[in-house]
Every structure is written in C-alpha cells, then in structure tokens.
C-alpha cells in the first residue's frame, strides 16, 4: 500500500509505478536521506513532536537501515517510488508506529532538495580535489620544460615561438578557473531548504537553523517556495562541469594532434593508448578521444535540465525528478575523465627535439624580424611589409629566415646589422617576450611559483 494511498480508491498500475518511480537512480542518495532524516527527527524532538525515546528509536532504526543498505541486504521496492519513501517504509516496518511520526513537518519536496544539495556538495569537493591534482601535475611538467621551445599557433598555423611550459600553464589557468566555478557553486548552494516542507513551510516551530547546522550547511534558504523549487545549484554544477569538460576536450584534441606522425610532439604511454584489430602498427589515443567525446553528454545534461526547468510554475513539479540522472551521469563522467586524464598527462612523453625542429622550420620568427626593424626606428607597418616581402622571397628560395645571409637582409633594408642573426633564434625570440604573462622562461617560472602558492592554500578553511 502506498504511503499516500488514503485519498485513493485504487492502486496505481505496474506501468505507472515503473514509469514514475525513481528508486532505480535516486537510491544513490540513501546516505544523505538517512542523515537528513536523523537531523529532522532531532528538530522534531526539540519542538516536542516526538519524545526522547522515540527519537532514539528513529535514529537507531535509520542507522540500522544505513548499515543494511551498505552491506547489500536491502532490496528497494519500485512500489514505494523513491529513496525517501522506501527508507520511511523500511523504518516503519522496523520500529512500528513511531516511524510514522518522522514525516511530520516535512515533505519529500524539501527532503529531496536537501539530499540533492548534500550529495552535490560532497561530489563537488571531490572534483575540486581531482582538479587540484591536475593543476599540480601541470606545474610539475611545466617546471621541467621552461625552455622546451615549441611553435605557438593561431589558426593552427605557426605563429610565434613559445615553450611547452608556457603552453601548459595556459591550461593551468583554465582549470584554476574551473575549480573556482565549482567552488562558487558549492558555496552558493550551502543553504538548507529543510523546513520549507511542501512549499509553504510548517505550522510547527521547527528549528531550521538546528537541522542546517547538523547537516553542515552554513545557513537556511530564505523563502520556502524557493527552497523547494530551486534547481539552480544543479544547473550551475552542470554549467561548471561543461566548461571544465570543454577545457579537457581542447587539451585532448591537442594531445591527439601532437601524437600524430605529422606532429610527433608527444608519445602516449602504452597504458593510455589502444591498438587496432586489423592494423598492427596502430597506437591510438583512445582515452583522449573518449574524453573529447564525452563532452557531448555533459553539455546534453546541462541543456536537458535547463529545458526541464524553463516552464515550471512554482513550486515543486514532478518534472523536477528529471534533475537527477543527468547530474549523476555528469558526476560519473567528469570524475571518470579526470581519473584517466591526469595519469595520461603525467606519463606523456614530450619530444622536445621534434618541437624544436618545428620551431626552426618555418617563419615563426617573422614578427621578431619586424620588431627588430621597429626597434631601430622603422615604423612597424613598414617593417611588417618589408618582412612580408622577405618571407615571400624565402618561400621562393625554399629557405627559412635564419638561413639568409646578412646581405640578403640588407638588400631589403639597410637597417639590418649582424645582430639580426641572434635576434631571430627561437630561444631569443622567447626570452625577449618577458612581459608579465609572456613565455620568457623567467616569467613562466614566476607564474609556476605563484601557482604553487595558490595550490598550497587551496583547501585552507574549506
Ligand atoms: N522523487 C521525487 C523527486 O525526486 C521526490 C519528490 C516528490 N515529491 C512529490 N510531491 N511528488 O523529485
């Protein structure tokens, strides 16, 4: 019999039970649900709805259920719809009438909201830790590659020389912002909705601050309608996860590209690559490709929940039960991606020789030639045209800029002197870009040092 069956003349059919029941996925919230119920029963005790003895019975009953769920001896029933009613039914079966008092001054609407927030809070903290591991790995690799010169690209064409360290620290900044976004979202969701009840609060003098602090929230939601209607926190989590996945995907795309025969900048560790069932020579970057591919489902989950919520009148509507699977899938996907990405990156072998060869091969130092002229008084626009013509003649002769003679340079501009040869060495082009945020090794070193300080303080007071 349903816990809400009093008003009905007949039972729901099996199709309906299967259709609207969420226990198959919201059983993931069992721990939060039990913790939430214990806190709620404490508030019931405080306002005299249950006695000390009843409180002790409820608490003990719920703790027993928790143990049994964890040891795998409990089978949930779709007839009881969701995790909340399954646990309540189990409790009543175990402790009798007292169990039926637990749902006083509470609704599944505030119950599910508090469970979901607690779950997400915990998962986001885990993710922050995983991203911190990624940030640490990036600083470690960057530190060893301060002068590993490589081409910087725009439009995927050689643009200006940079270093591997500089390139990796660009990702550091992106993932650092991802931690910030996740943390903002975690901190914003840190208000307990418990006591909002169905939508209009309750007539009982429930101590909402008490349950909030027992459950580790830093305060309570300010409006009971909002308390049960809000799913912004889940959407923010999906949005922050989408941006994080987009960053991972860009990085994976580069690893895939760099591991091609054409680039040859990296070699993946065997543990993170796979072979082909027909082509014996193949070593495929499957892990990186899968991460790139999994972005699709995370974006999909974000769009899914935004769409679920967009037309809902206040307060709770059953549509909102659709919030969970996308969030759970996103948690699993992002955690799974990070768990493979971090060791894949840590074991990646960088081929500095190939990178250096690529830097030397084209006209990546052309801006530096123009800057050379500009520093000697030639207007930059004029210098740009002179160097453009120089590049044009190099292309015709099949030569890079550093294979031209001083006479060749002097032919296009008398301003060139012997020191042009030094000015266009990739290492000097990079070193000369010692503006804050630039690729010069001394600047990147400073950035790494600051980043390490940031990492050391990341979990202080958290
Ligand atoms: N399983 C439901 C959900 O996840 C719990 C809340 C149900 N509330 C209700 N009034 N039907 O949304």
């Amino acid at each position: 019999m349903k816990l809400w069956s009093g008003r009905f003349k007949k039972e729901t059919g099996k199709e309906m039970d299967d259709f609207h029941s969420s226990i198959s996925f919201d059983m993931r919230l069992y721990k939060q649900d039990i913790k939430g119920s214990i806190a709620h029963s404490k508030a019931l005790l405080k306002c005299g709805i249950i006695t000390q003895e009843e409180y002790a019975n409820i608490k003990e009953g719920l703790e027993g259920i928790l143990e049994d769920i964890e040891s795998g001896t409990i089978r949930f029933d779709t007839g009881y719809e969701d995790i909340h009613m399954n646990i309540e039914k189990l409790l009543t079966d175990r402790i009798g009438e007292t169990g039926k008092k637990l749902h006083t001054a509470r609704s599944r609407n505030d119950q599910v909201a508090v469970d979901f927030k607690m779950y997400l809070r915990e998962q986001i903290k885990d993710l922050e830790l995983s991203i911190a591991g990624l940030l640490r790995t990036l600083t470690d690799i960057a530190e060893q590659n301060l002068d590993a010169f490589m081409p910087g690209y725009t439009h995927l064409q050689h643009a200006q020389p940079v270093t591997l360290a500089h390139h990796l620290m660009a990702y550091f900044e992106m993932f650092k912002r991802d931690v910030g976004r996740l943390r903002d979202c975690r901190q914003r969701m840190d208000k307990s909705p418990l006591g909002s009840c169905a939508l209009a609060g309750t007539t009982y003098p429930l101590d909402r601050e008490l349950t909030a602090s027992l459950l580790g929230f830093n305060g309570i939601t300010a409006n009971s309608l909002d308390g049960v209607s809000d799913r912004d926190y889940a959407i923010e989590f999906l949005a922050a996860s989408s941006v994080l996945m987009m960053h991972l995907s860009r990085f994976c795309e580069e690893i895939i590209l760099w591991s091609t025969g054409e680039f040859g900048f990296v070699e993946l560790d065997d543990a993170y690559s796979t072979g082909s069932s027909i082509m014996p020579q193949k070593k495929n970057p499957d892990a990186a490709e899968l991460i790139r591919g999994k972005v699709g489902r995370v974006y999909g989950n974000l769009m899914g929940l935004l769409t679920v919520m967009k037309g809902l009148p206040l307060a709770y509507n059953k549509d909102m039960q659709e919030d969970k699977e996308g969030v759970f899938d996103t948690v699993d996907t992002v955690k799974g991606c990070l768990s493979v990405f971090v060791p894949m990156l840590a074991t990646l072998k960088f081929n500095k020789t190939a990178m250096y060869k690529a830097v030397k091969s084209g006209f990546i130092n052309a801006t530096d030639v123009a800057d050379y002229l500009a520093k000697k008084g030639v207007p930059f626009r004029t210098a740009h045209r002179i160097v453009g013509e120089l590049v044009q003649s190099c292309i015709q002769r099949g030569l890079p800029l550093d294979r031209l003679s001083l006479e060749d340079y002097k032919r296009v501009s008398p301003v060139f002197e012997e020191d042009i040869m030094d000015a266009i060495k990739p290492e000097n082009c990079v070193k000369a870009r010692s503006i804050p945020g630039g690729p010069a090794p001394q600047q990147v070193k400073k950035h790494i040092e600051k980043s390490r300080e940031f990492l050391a303080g990341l979990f202080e007071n958290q």
Side-chain angles (χ1 to χ4, degrees):
M1 209 167 57
K2 300 278 189 295
L3 296 182
W4 40 253
S5 64
R7 183 234 181 275
F8 292 85
K9 289 208 187 91
K10 57 180 181 183
E11 292 271 303
T12 44
K14 180 164 180 343
E15 297 79 8
M16 178 59 185
D17 282 351
D18 288 348
F19 180 66
H20 85 143
S21 141
S22 53
I23 187 64
S24 63
F25 50 88
D26 66 15
M27 55 190 259
R28 216 189 256 233
L29 301 175
Y30 73 86
K31 227 186 290 166
Q32 290 77 13
D33 199 69
I34 289 175
K35 225 178 142 194
S37 288
I38 293 175
H40 177 64
S41 58
K42 187 102 198 203
L44 294 181
L45 169 66
K46 192 175 172 197
C47 62
I49 297 168
I50 57 173
T51 63
Q52 181 66 42
E53 198 191 337
E54 286 171 326
Y55 166 71
N57 282 343
I58 290 175
K59 185 166 178 284
E60 202 181 306
L62 287 169
E63 284 166 352
I65 294 170
L66 178 63
E67 257 174 49
D68 293 346
I69 294 175
E70 297 200 319
S71 64
T73 52
I74 285 194
R75 282 200 52 212
F76 294 116
D77 183 347
T78 48
Y80 289 101
E81 231 179 289
D82 52 28
I83 188 64
H84 324 294
M85 289 204 290
N86 266 275
I87 288 178
E88 192 185 327
K89 171 74 171 71
L90 286 164
L91 181 70
T92 308
D93 287 349
R94 290 181 182 200
I95 68 167
E97 287 298 296
T98 309
K100 295 185 183 170
K101 293 192 174 178
L102 175 62
H103 211 55
T104 322
R106 184 175 74 166
S107 154
R108 275 183 299 153
N109 298 349
D110 59 345
Q111 195 177 351
V112 72
V114 83
D115 291 2
F116 205 32
K117 276 189 170 179
M118 283 197 281
Y119 167 82
L120 261 179
R121 218 173 41 177
E122 206 174 295
Q123 297 303 324
I124 292 176
K125 250 194 194 157
D126 282 0
L127 281 176
E128 287 172 36
L129 280 167
S130 303
I131 303 172
L134 170 55
L135 292 174
R136 223 168 289 119
T137 305
L138 282 167
T139 52
D140 289 347
I141 307 176
E143 192 166 54
Q144 292 155 22
N145 290 285
L146 284 167
D147 51 10
F149 302 102
M150 65 178 281
Y153 299 83
T154 60
H155 311 268
L156 204 53
Q157 305 283 328
H158 281 193
Q160 290 170 346
V162 294
T163 65
L164 178 57
H166 191 232
H167 196 107
L168 294 176
M169 289 306 286
Y171 281 106
F172 180 98
E173 288 300 306
M174 297 179 229
F175 293 122
K176 179 181 168 187
R177 290 192 295 272
D178 287 323
V179 175
R181 267 183 284 272
L182 284 165
R183 184 165 282 182
D184 283 353
C185 150
R186 172 164 68 80
Q187 287 169 349
R188 211 173 355 264
M189 77 170 71
D190 206 14
K191 301 280 177 242
S192 170
L194 214 52
S196 303
C197 301
L199 74 163
T202 177
T203 52
Y204 299 94
L206 212 55
D207 186 346
R208 294 190 61 203
E209 298 284 354
L210 171 70
T211 46
S213 79
L214 287 173
L215 298 174
F217 287 95
N218 73 6
I220 58 173
T221 53
N223 177 292
S224 63
L225 290 170
D226 180 52
V228 291
S229 296
D230 168 29
R231 292 295 181 273
D232 303 7
Y233 56 91
I235 292 173
E236 276 192 52
F237 163 71
L238 294 172
S241 298
S242 294
V243 178
L244 165 64
M245 287 299 291
M246 177 271 288
H247 288 150
L248 280 174
S249 181
R250 291 184 78 174
F251 207 161
C252 283
E253 166 62 18
E254 295 203 310
I255 290 173
I256 294 162
L257 201 62
W258 289 355
S259 68
T260 57
E262 285 73 9
F263 272 83
F265 288 2
V266 295
E267 192 188 339
L268 283 161
D269 192 83
D270 284 0
Y272 300 99
S273 355
T274 53
S276 153
S277 55
I278 171 170
M279 298 166 281
Q281 85 286 9
K282 289 300 287 291
K283 180 171 176 180
N284 295 327
D286 283 31
E289 290 171 310
L290 255 183
I291 294 169
R292 189 178 57 182
K294 281 184 188 291
V295 179
R297 63 204 290 160
V298 175
Y299 288 4
N301 292 333
L302 170 63
M303 283 316 297
L305 189 53
L306 279 169
T307 311
V308 165
M309 296 304 295
K310 75 177 265 297
L312 298 186
L314 301 186
Y316 179 84
N317 300 269
K318 187 72 173 235
D319 316 42
M320 287 155 76
Q321 181 168 284
E322 285 292 305
D323 59 0
K324 285 171 209 67
E325 285 159 291
V327 164
F328 294 158
D329 180 68
T330 300
V331 166
D332 294 344
T333 302
V334 177
K335 279 189 166 175
C337 288
L338 284 168
S339 77
V340 172
F341 186 83
V342 178
M344 176 177 79
L345 177 67
T347 54
L348 206 56
K349 276 200 202 75
F350 292 92
N351 185 342
K352 296 189 203 179
T353 317
M355 290 177 173
Y356 192 66
K357 220 171 130 198
V359 163
K360 295 280 283 177
S361 67
F363 306 104
I364 205 156
N365 40 9
T367 315
D368 299 87
V369 182
D371 279 342
Y372 174 95
L373 291 176
K375 278 177 196 154
K376 298 204 175 195
V378 181
F380 184 78
R381 209 26 87 212
T382 311
H384 187 289
R385 191 189 39 75
I386 293 171
V387 181
E389 283 166 17
L390 199 61
V391 168
Q392 178 61 254
S393 77
C394 280
I395 293 169
Q396 270 154 24
R397 294 167 65 191
L399 290 175
L401 284 164
D402 63 359
R403 296 270 304 280
L404 297 180
S405 64
L406 185 57
E407 288 65 48
D408 292 327
Y409 278 103
K410 280 197 176 296
R411 210 167 296 132
V412 290
S413 168
V415 178
F416 284 115
E417 289 170 68
E418 192 63 54
D419 57 353
I420 180 62
M421 296 306 173
D422 254 2
I424 59 172
K425 288 196 178 118
E427 33 288 64
N428 293 337
C429 299
V430 171
K431 273 186 203 133
R433 289 183 162 76
S434 66
I435 187 167
Q442 85 200 66
Q443 284 297 345
V444 179
K445 195 161 177 267
K446 264 194 220 160
H447 183 198
I448 294 173
E449 278 157 17
K450 270 198 191 152
S451 303
R452 287 239 161 93
E453 277 166 33
F454 161 81
L455 280 173
L458 188 56
F459 292 101
E460 262 167 38
N461 312 321
Q462 282 303 311

